Amino acid sequence: MRRWFFISLLLILAACSTTGAPTATVPAQPSPTATTPPSPTLAPTATTPPSPTPVPTATPISSDPRTGRPAMARGTLSQRPYITMIDNFPAAYPQTGLDQAAIVFEALAEYGVTRYMAVFTPDLVEVAGDLGPVRSARLYFVQWAMGFRAVYTHAGGSPEGLERLAADDNDLVIDIDLVSLEGRQIFDYSRRSLEREAPHNLYTSATEIGNYVAERASSSAQADVSEVGYLFAPEAPVAEPISTIDYFFIYPDDPAGWRYNADTNEYARLRRGRPHIDAVSEQQLTFKSIVTMEVFEAPIIGDDKGRIDQQVVGEGRALVFANGSMQAATWRKTAESAPLRFYDSAEAEIVFPAGPIWIAAMPSLENVSYE
């Protein structure tokens, strides 16, 4: 009996190993058709384009987990950020509100004096108290603000800057020019300090900026801010940090700088060798990341105020200081409407530690030293 069982088993196995087309009597194996052959795997050739660099995704971090200070992470904003032009003439010291900004731009105005463009995120972190002293706009500041889809507050401006703000095609920003408001309307959204001399005494606040938008610009308040901001990740300080950063814009005897604190993983700001203090908190300004970027600048021919222009649309060299380290980078802004981005040597977008960023735009990176 067992002998016949093995003989039958061998016959079945032999039948299964027979090559040839399956028949209709085997329903478990339907006949293949010419339209379903497996695709062969081909080796890449010289004409095959390289795979694009993966685009990093934003980490949903809206503030520094240590301090609660703002981090403008892409994809976290629900409304336009507020941008305020802030004076940096000596008569404006100390300023108010820079310590609440998510991003501060520092760039030349006239005669070697810089000006600040402070970017606030009131929908992510409360912005309390006064902001200022408020000063005037320049075209390159307006172009940066356009990339942020911002509510842009200033006190007058250069002809080129005001013309760009008033252009029919510029619906990217809500323009609040405090000095152009009629009569006493200026006092609805700002005030003059009696403790300082004009023009270094004009102040506004996030509350007043919000009131202006609600009362005078509600129809344009909404904007697509999904691409506004930068990429963030949990901080990762290095073991042997760069502890000092120093730079100047035009004159070596008018320096600014930063000192790294490994305990807090932050940079404390110096102005002319002294701590840069906020007027209200009376504390030294500290930021999580420092970026120095090289921009071409030149005097505007025929301008009776000695104004300059800076080429901030395009690309150029940059240095990014974060987590105690430094990396060479490229800044890129492809159009007035495009955001300003930073990329490493592999063309991957820079990822910052969560917290505020200070961006200094200067004529040459040769003006930067660090150790």
Side-chain angles (χ1 to χ4, degrees):
M1 185 70 174
R2 182 174 299 177
R3 176 182 174 189
W4 286 109
F5 172 79
F6 283 117
I7 291 174
S8 300
L9 180 60
L10 290 172
L11 290 173
I12 292 172
L13 292 175
C16 291
S17 64
T18 303
T19 58
T23 67
T25 60
V26 187
Q29 293 183 323
S31 300
T33 66
T35 60
T36 58
S39 300
T41 302
L42 299 177
T45 66
T47 59
T48 303
S51 299
T53 302
V55 177
T57 57
T59 301
I61 301 175
S62 60
S63 63
D64 181 343
R66 186 197 301 267
T67 64
R69 294 185 60 200
M72 188 183 286
R74 194 173 315 150
T76 62
L77 291 179
S78 60
Q79 67 178 57
R80 293 178 184 266
Y82 293 173
I83 286 182
T84 303
M85 296 303 306
I86 295 185
D87 197 350
N88 193 34
F89 195 75
Y93 300 167
Q95 296 93 343
T96 301
L98 291 173
D99 59 340
Q100 300 185 74
I103 301 170
V104 172
F105 285 79
E106 177 187 16
L108 285 165
E110 292 81 48
Y111 307 109
V113 179
T114 62
R115 188 159 296 173
Y116 303 134
M117 187 180 88
V119 187
F120 302 94
T121 55
D123 59 332
L124 301 180
V125 177
E126 180 185 5
V127 182
D130 286 345
L131 307 174
V134 181
R135 285 305 302 271
S136 56
R138 297 291 180 270
L139 175 60
Y140 42 94
F141 287 118
V142 172
Q143 291 170 324
W144 277 324
M146 290 169 68
F148 284 98
R149 310 296 191 262
V151 180
Y152 183 69
T153 304
H154 58 102
S158 66
E160 296 82 5
L162 296 179
E163 181 180 356
R164 192 68 192 92
L165 285 167
D168 291 339
D169 65 340
N170 190 3
D171 59 355
L172 297 179
V173 300
I174 294 177
D175 177 24
I176 305 179
D177 184 354
L178 294 175
V179 301
S180 70
L181 295 173
E182 297 179 1
R184 296 187 59 82
Q185 289 180 345
I186 186 174
F187 299 112
D188 292 336
Y189 310 109
S190 62
R191 76 212 67 83
R192 296 277 182 185
S193 170
L194 298 179
E195 298 178 358
R196 303 190 183 197
E197 294 185 359
H200 313 289
N201 64 346
L202 181 63
Y203 291 83
T204 187
S205 68
T207 298
E208 289 162 314
I209 293 171
N211 289 342
Y212 181 99
V213 173
E215 295 164 8
R216 302 170 68 99
S218 58
S219 62
S220 57
Q222 298 301 316
D224 181 5
V225 293
S226 60
E227 292 300 311
V228 173
Y230 293 98
L231 306 181
F232 293 95
E235 59 186 36
V238 298
E240 298 182 4
I242 292 171
S243 59
T244 67
I245 308 167
D246 293 292
Y247 54 81
F248 62 91
F249 287 80
I250 297 293
Y251 306 111
D253 58 352
D254 187 18
W258 301 85
R259 299 297 179 262
Y260 178 69
N261 185 331
D263 293 334
T264 62
N265 194 33
E266 291 181 324
Y267 298 85
R269 178 168 167 80
L270 302 176
R271 182 173 50 198
R272 299 187 178 95
R274 297 182 178 182
H276 186 159
I277 304 297
D278 179 81
V280 174
S281 71
E282 298 183 344
Q283 299 297 311
Q284 186 176 11
L285 297 184
T286 58
F287 277 67
K288 188 66 75 172
S289 302
I290 312 301
V291 178
T292 58
M293 55 182 287
E294 187 176 78
V295 299
F296 176 79
E297 62 92 11
I300 297 175
I301 303 301
D303 188 282
D304 59 355
K305 302 293 186 182
R307 299 185 184 96
I308 64 171
D309 189 26
Q310 299 193 60
Q311 301 300 316
V312 301
V313 177
E315 65 178 50
R317 298 190 302 159
L319 301 175
V320 176
F321 299 88
N323 291 311
S325 66
M326 186 282 291
Q327 61 179 322
T330 298
W331 68 263
R332 188 170 294 129
K333 180 175 167 64
T334 57
E336 284 185 314
S337 60
L340 174 66
R341 301 278 196 240
F342 299 96
Y343 299 90
D344 65 18
S345 59
E347 285 298 307
E349 189 174 346
I350 297 290
V351 179
F352 296 92
I357 303 171
W358 188 282
I359 302 173
M362 59 190 58
S364 173
L365 289 186
E366 302 305 315
N367 299 350
V368 183
S369 61
Y370 51 90
E371 59 181 4

